[in-house]
Amino acid sequence: MERKDYGYKCLNCGKPVEIDLQKAKKIICPYCGYRILEKRRPSIGRKVKAK
Ligand SMILES: [Zn+2]
């Protein structure tokens, strides 16, 4: 199972926003319309299976 790494965080309202850059032409927060989003670290949610 792969996890998408389109995670952004709105710098205005602080909500997590998922944006598919191939579909979306503009990066904009869908909640408040703010246009400055911070890219979250892709390491979040990564799990490593122990053998
Ligand atoms: Zn926002």
Side-chain angles (χ1 to χ4, degrees), residues 7-17 19 27-40:
Y8 287 83
K9 181 179 131 187
C10 176
L11 290 182
N12 185 46
C13 66
K15 290 189 177 183
V17 180
I19 293 179
I27 295 180
I28 189 171
C29 175
Y31 303 102
C32 69
Y34 204 62
R35 280 175 286 182
I36 301 178
L37 304 183
E38 177 187 64
K39 196 170 189 178
R40 292 188 296 171

Side-chain angles (χ1 to χ4, degrees), residues 4 6 8 18-26:
K4 289 184 179 180
Y6 301 129
Y8 287 83
E18 282 196 7
I19 293 179
D20 190 339
L21 291 179
Q22 293 181 339
K23 292 181 181 177
K25 293 181 180 178
K26 292 181 181 178

